[in-house]
Amino acid sequence: MSTVIRIFHITYSVLKILKNDFFAMKFIHLKRNASLLLIGFCSHAVAQDARPFTIPVESNNNAMVLQVDEKGQLSTIYFGKKLTHAAEYKLVPAAYKQTDDYSGVSNAAYSTAGTKNLFEPAIAVTHTDGNNSLDLRYVSHKVTPQGDDVSETTILLKDPVYAFEVTLHYKVYKASDVIEQWSVIRHQEKGNVTLQKFASANLYLKASRYWLKQYHGDWAKEMQPEEAPLTHGIKTLDTKLGTRANLFQPSVFMVSLDQRATEDEGSVLYGAMEWSGNFRIDLELDNLDNLRIIAGINNYASPYSLKTNTAFETPPFLYTFSTQGKGDASRKLQSWARNYKLLDGKGERLTLLNNWEATYFNFDESRLKGLLKDTKDLGVDLFLLDDGWFGNKYPRNADNAALGDWQENRKKLPNGIAALDSSAQQNGVKFGIWIEPEMVSPKSELYEKHPDWVLKQPGREEHYFRHQLVLDLSNPQVQDFVFHVVDSLFIKAPKLSYIKWDCNAVIYNAWSSFQKQQQSQFYVEYVRGLYKVLARIRAKYPLVPMMLCSGGGGRVDYNALQYFTEYWPSDNTDPLERIYIQWENSYFYPAIASANHVTDWGKQPIKFRVDVAMMGKLGFDIVVKDLKEAERKFCQEAIGNYNTWKDVIWHGNQYRLANPEEGSIAAIMYLDEKKSKGVVFNYLVKSRYDEGSKLPIRLKGLDAAKQYRLKEINLYPGTASPVPSEQVYSGEFLMRVGFNPQVNTTRTSVVLEINEAI
Ligand code: DGJ
């Protein structure tokens, strides 16, 4: 009998080696049926089959353990901190005595629709014969190391009845405990299969309770947090805005398990879709009290018609997990981003002076030349020319014309951007420029020449967002056009050193004349088109810094950030508001990526404004000439301090010390890897009588055994600091007792440098 099974086994292996997975899959079913027949006579037949077996997907601290059962069903049996003895993972399911799982597939690693699954599926398809069912069974898996820190596990699943397959990809970044998960969908049916839903990932978590922290927003009110327990049923985080997708709702979120995680305690999962378009994340608490998280591109208005033998690759869903609170999870994500995702994450950034709020559309060459001098005088690296420099038939003197006509306005810039580029060189500063290349104004030559490039419904009223429409980036001709918009800037101004890429409109009336009968593919193809253009730009200009701007923080995500060096968190630059917006963004994105500009928003003094902007990538958007002498001196000195400390702010570890949502003080600290240099920013966020830092603020991350000195920097001219800079403290003291920065209504913003006392 065992010889018979062995023959089956060998035949299966040969088919696998020949890479004929489909026949191998058919064959494995034949083999299974034979095994079932034999089982009545031979009690160890199941053992010979070697199922169930586990596939652990492990990082340094965590494990997600998948199991293949006798039927080839792939399920998640463990998600959490890694166990020391991997052999014990298989004992996990028996430890749970929850109510009945009627289908037996509630914990599927990638839930399908139309067969046994009773919950929201990760994938739903309509086959060529109109059948809506899908059943995915394990075929094979492999683990591919990619250097010491990264490894990728891929698992091939196939439908036993239809020639349809999905490969699940789990890319593990071990040291940062980050996983990127995506799926690749293919079929060999005759004709097109419609993908009704095509998620990137399907997680399954077990805990006694779950708290979801999510974000909502609007223009100038980005990243407003809400945290609440999840109840039974589905909670959906999604967007249907098309472009600046997360204006209302970003895809980043966190889920605390068992109890609400704090900054330093508790189990918490962070998740984010790496997709710059419509996304959908469903969090479903089922009848067993387990949590299913299904994340991917939003299938809203997007059934996708997939040709035979063509791969549909979903974008990655990104997640990290920590049992040591939100702070640890965010430091891991930030470190992952700097090491692996954010463009030039370990590199340098340019400080700058932007003219948007200083001039709006009202400038000409001579005024800009004055601003180039101010750039030098202030001591920042680059002058950034914002909106309003282009358009001739319809000059860009307001936000209602000229997008698409990317030629210099001859009246404002008779000598073009080339002249500004060389003036910048003469002034010893660099030159950067604003564009919004995905957009078109109805009042533009581009619209007149190429109405078919514009997204709008034929025969229907046009709807504008900030008086503009969106170009059809699913069309390769439009992709070429957008690439050439950028390319021609570098041709005209070869020393061009920075691009601010804006995107102010959502997509109304989503209809693409290029997509013809395939309109439901448009939302997906738009984003793919955008990535093609960005990849082309990066192939030619690999490291030129580019800011991902979207009338505020309407667009940041990690797929886009592989092409951009920084993002614009919000048009709201009121420093008090920015403390909250930057705080919430810091859970997910590193400080080096956060473009923070000092502007005239808000009522805070210049010191407060500069101190807040220094907690990331510093820029200015003010009229330098209007600064009082002491203010100018302060700014110049602060930029000097920033140049000393920027390496720690950009590349160090960030610790949130005092949460502005919980008290009257906000405090954030940045510390270098060696734990010998750091900087702490402290602010008064409430202005009621006698508010201040009554209690010491406990520092974090220091070496308890080291000795440190603290010194106040960024002092406003003419003020003295009460901070005793000669006093030496142990790391233990600073972390256990803390330090009082003496923030009060006369000292609303205090910046301290920390230096190891040697
Ligand atoms: C929106 C951006 O957020 C602003 O900084 C500025 O660039 C304007 N667009 C220009 O129109």
Side-chain angles (χ1 to χ4, degrees):
M1 222 136 4
S2 62
T3 317
V4 177
I5 292 175
R6 200 164 302 131
I7 292 167
F8 273 119
H9 221 99
I10 292 165
T11 315
Y12 172 69
S13 308
V14 170
L15 283 168
K16 286 292 307 141
I17 290 163
L18 292 173
K19 297 223 173 342
N20 198 331
D21 288 328
F22 182 67
F23 287 112
M25 187 64 204
K26 287 276 180 214
F27 189 79
I28 202 167
H29 283 277
L30 185 62
K31 176 183 160 227
R32 180 140 8 277
N33 290 339
S35 301
L36 287 175
L37 274 176
L38 293 170
I39 213 160
F41 306 99
C42 173
S43 61
H44 56 264
V46 171
Q48 283 199 327
D49 199 319
R51 290 183 178 186
F53 64 88
T54 58
I55 306 174
V57 179
E58 291 180 321
S59 60
N60 282 4
N61 295 292
N62 303 326
M64 174 162 60
V65 182
L66 308 173
Q67 186 178 60
V68 178
D69 70 9
E70 290 77 3
K71 293 178 175 171
Q73 291 177 157
L74 183 73
S75 54
T76 307
I77 61 164
Y78 183 78
F79 187 102
K81 202 170 157 82
K82 200 153 101 176
L83 298 183
T84 315
H85 306 292
E88 290 187 320
Y89 288 128
K90 63 177 182 302
L91 307 178
V92 172
Y96 286 84
K97 303 294 174 204
Q98 293 164 292
T99 43
D100 194 9
D101 173 358
Y102 297 95
S103 65
V105 293
S106 289
N107 59 345
Y110 197 67
S111 323
T112 58
T115 43
K116 277 207 290 184
N117 173 34
L118 299 170
F119 296 98
E120 182 63 32
I123 182 165
V125 307
T126 304
H127 296 284
T128 43
D129 62 2
N131 188 300
N132 286 321
S133 69
L134 186 65
D135 187 3
L136 292 172
R137 303 292 174 106
Y138 172 89
V139 177
S140 61
H141 78 281
K142 63 173 186 234
V143 180
T144 315
Q146 299 175 4
D148 288 346
D149 190 38
V150 183
S151 89
E152 190 174 326
T153 299
T154 52
I155 307 176
L156 176 64
L157 307 172
K158 287 196 173 192
D159 190 313
V161 175
Y162 285 89
F164 191 97
E165 65 180 56
V166 176
T167 308
L168 304 178
H169 292 251
Y170 303 83
K171 189 165 180 182
V172 182
Y173 301 84
K174 295 177 203 165
S176 44
D177 289 319
V178 163
I179 298 182
E180 284 181 298
Q181 187 180 335
W182 68 98
S183 52
V184 177
I185 304 167
R186 279 189 198 86
H187 69 89
Q188 296 81 35
E189 296 184 32
K190 289 193 181 65
N192 291 3
V193 170
T194 306
L195 307 182
Q196 310 286 1
K197 194 173 181 201
F198 32 88
S200 302
N202 180 167
L203 304 186
Y204 199 64
L205 312 179
K206 284 176 184 284
S208 53
R209 293 190 77 192
Y210 311 85
W211 274 260
L212 170 67
K213 185 168 183 188
Q214 61 176 98
Y215 296 89
H216 65 100
D218 203 332
W219 179 78
K221 289 192 282 189
E222 292 83 357
M223 290 300 278
Q224 306 294 318
E226 282 172 328
E227 192 162 16
L230 279 167
T231 53
H232 289 83
I234 300 183
K235 169 81 189 177
T236 299
L237 308 177
D238 83 333
T239 184
K240 303 179 181 77
L241 305 189
T243 46
R244 44 181 315 180
N246 38 13
L247 170 70
F248 296 157
Q249 179 143 72
S251 76
V252 294
F253 67 96
M254 46 180 109
V255 175
S256 302
L257 306 185
D258 296 320
Q259 56 199 3
R260 187 168 163 167
T262 63
E263 195 62 27
D264 301 303
E265 283 173 352
S267 296
V268 62
L269 170 99
Y270 280 34
M273 267 312 297
E274 295 184 26
W275 186 243
S276 311
N278 293 346
F279 65 83
R280 170 174 168 186
I281 299 162
D282 289 313
L283 300 107
E284 183 168 24
L285 191 55
D286 66 17
N287 61 318
L288 306 175
D289 305 327
N290 298 329
L291 182 67
R292 182 180 296 94
I293 301 177
I294 294 180
I297 295 175
N298 200 339
N299 57 338
Y300 159 77
S302 298
Y304 197 96
S305 181
L306 185 64
K307 293 191 191 112
T308 193
N309 277 318
T310 309
F312 182 96
E313 182 168 332
T314 72
F317 174 60
L318 170 74
Y319 48 100
T320 186
F321 177 75
S322 171
T323 54
Q324 289 164 57
K326 294 171 180 171
D328 182 57
S330 72
R331 279 184 291 282
K332 285 174 175 165
L333 203 50
Q334 292 183 3
S335 143
W336 168 82
R338 286 190 301 262
N339 285 317
Y340 293 107
K341 205 63 172 193
L342 171 68
L343 187 82
D344 203 19
K346 294 197 271 193
E348 298 282 305
R349 296 293 185 271
L350 298 168
T351 54
L352 58 83
L353 177 67
N354 190 184
N355 72 313
W356 174 240
E357 294 191 19
T359 66
Y360 292 104
F361 297 98
N362 184 18
F363 57 81
D364 59 15
E365 187 177 304
S366 101
R367 194 164 176 201
L368 295 181
K369 285 193 169 166
L371 296 182
L372 286 170
K373 290 203 171 69
D374 291 343
T375 308
K376 183 69 184 166
D377 178 50
L378 200 57
V380 289
D381 303 318
L382 174 136
F383 172 69
L384 169 61
L385 172 59
D386 214 285
D387 196 355
W389 57 269
F390 49 92
N392 284 299
K393 181 171 176 188
Y394 305 103
R396 179 78 170 168
N397 293 326
D399 63 7
N400 61 357
L403 291 174
D405 301 347
W406 300 104
Q407 297 81 33
E408 297 95 323
N409 177 273
R410 284 186 289 272
K411 227 162 136 197
K412 286 181 186 174
L413 301 179
N415 301 302
I417 59 168
L420 292 172
D421 194 26
S422 42
S423 277
Q425 312 301 312
Q426 283 153 23
N427 279 286
V429 294
K430 295 178 190 292
F431 174 63
I433 200 160
W434 175 99
I435 46 172
E436 196 177 359
E438 293 159 80
M439 300 292 155
V440 58
S441 302
K443 246 164 74 183
S444 69
E445 292 182 74
L446 183 71
Y447 186 100
E448 290 168 353
K449 242 164 78 191
H450 293 289
D452 55 320
W453 285 9
V454 179
L455 295 173
K456 56 191 177 103
Q457 288 283 355
R460 293 194 192 278
E461 185 191 352
E462 290 180 7
H463 295 297
Y464 307 127
F465 196 105
R466 206 198 187 202
H467 315 291
Q468 63 197 53
L469 288 158
V470 183
L471 288 173
D472 181 5
L473 268 171
S474 75
N475 180 342
Q477 281 185 311
V478 178
Q479 294 165 19
D480 275 352
F481 169 80
V482 175
F483 170 76
H484 288 298
V485 168
V486 178
D487 198 29
S488 65
L489 294 174
F490 286 103
I491 292 165
K492 285 182 194 164
K495 292 268 186 284
L496 186 69
S497 303
Y498 188 92
I499 286 185
K500 176 175 175 181
W501 179 303
D502 210 341
C503 166
N504 287 294
V506 301
I507 298 178
Y508 289 126
N509 273 343
W511 192 86
S512 147
S513 60
F514 177 77
Q515 291 295 332
K516 301 195 172 70
Q517 301 307 311
Q518 302 290 357
Q519 292 302 318
S520 65
Q521 305 195 170
F522 161 71
Y523 281 123
V524 171
E525 296 304 341
Y526 180 93
V527 181
R528 286 179 171 172
L530 172 66
Y531 292 156
K532 276 186 199 155
V533 175
L534 291 168
R536 224 169 130 189
I537 293 170
R538 283 312 181 190
K540 190 155 180 195
Y541 308 104
L543 285 180
V544 174
M546 288 212 300
M547 184 211 281
L548 175 59
C549 178
S550 185
R555 206 185 212 187
V556 58
D557 71 86
Y558 273 117
N559 210 326
L561 282 182
Q562 64 189 310
Y563 306 106
F564 290 87
T565 49
E566 53 221 72
Y567 70 97
W568 182 236
S570 178
D571 273 355
N572 189 339
T573 45
D574 175 330
L576 198 55
E577 295 295 328
R578 268 299 185 114
I579 288 174
Y580 292 84
I581 294 172
Q582 291 171 200
W583 178 282
E584 295 301 336
N585 272 308
S586 79
Y587 286 110
F588 304 95
Y589 302 106
I592 189 172
S594 179
N596 303 335
H597 291 184
V598 176
T599 70
D600 286 332
W601 282 56
K603 300 191 189 84
Q604 314 297 327
I606 188 90
K607 170 173 162 49
F608 195 107
R609 288 184 269 151
V610 173
D611 290 352
V612 172
M614 273 173 64
M615 295 193 297
K617 206 225 77 172
L618 177 65
F620 289 79
D621 197 347
I622 49 172
V623 183
V624 177
K625 292 222 167 348
D626 289 352
L627 291 174
K628 295 190 188 100
E629 193 41 42
E631 291 177 330
R632 176 203 302 269
K633 194 161 172 260
F634 168 77
C635 290
Q636 288 165 336
E637 281 174 11
I639 292 163
N641 288 332
Y642 183 72
N643 287 336
T644 306
W645 287 99
K646 64 189 181 188
D647 184 50
V648 175
I649 296 167
W650 294 347
H651 306 119
N653 284 312
Q654 185 196 53
Y655 295 86
R656 282 174 292 270
L657 308 180
N659 186 339
E661 298 277 1
E662 292 167 4
S664 53
I665 305 293
I668 296 197
M669 167 178 171
Y670 302 80
L671 186 65
D672 72 344
E673 283 295 336
K674 289 190 196 143
K675 299 173 184 278
S676 63
K677 282 165 64 133
V679 54
V680 190
F681 295 88
N682 308 272
Y683 309 98
L684 187 69
V685 292
K686 305 231 161 51
S687 55
R688 296 192 63 183
Y689 174 72
D690 197 31
E691 289 288 358
S693 54
K694 304 273 160 62
L695 307 177
I697 292 169
R698 291 193 187 106
L699 307 192
K700 294 179 187 171
L702 297 172
D703 183 334
K706 281 187 176 169
Q707 303 287 312
Y708 297 95
R709 281 199 183 87
L710 275 70
K711 183 178 161 210
E712 183 168 353
I713 56 170
N714 279 11
L715 282 169
Y716 196 71
T719 59
S721 173
V723 172
S725 58
E726 285 315 307
Q727 179 66 51
V728 174
Y729 306 88
S730 68
E732 182 200 23
F733 180 90
L734 292 171
M735 292 192 290
R736 194 156 293 169
V737 178
F739 182 80
N740 200 319
Q742 303 185 51
V743 172
N744 57 46
T745 47
T746 61
R747 286 167 51 79
T748 53
S749 164
V750 175
V751 184
L752 303 167
E753 59 172 47
I754 309 168
N755 286 298
E756 185 181 350
I758 306 171

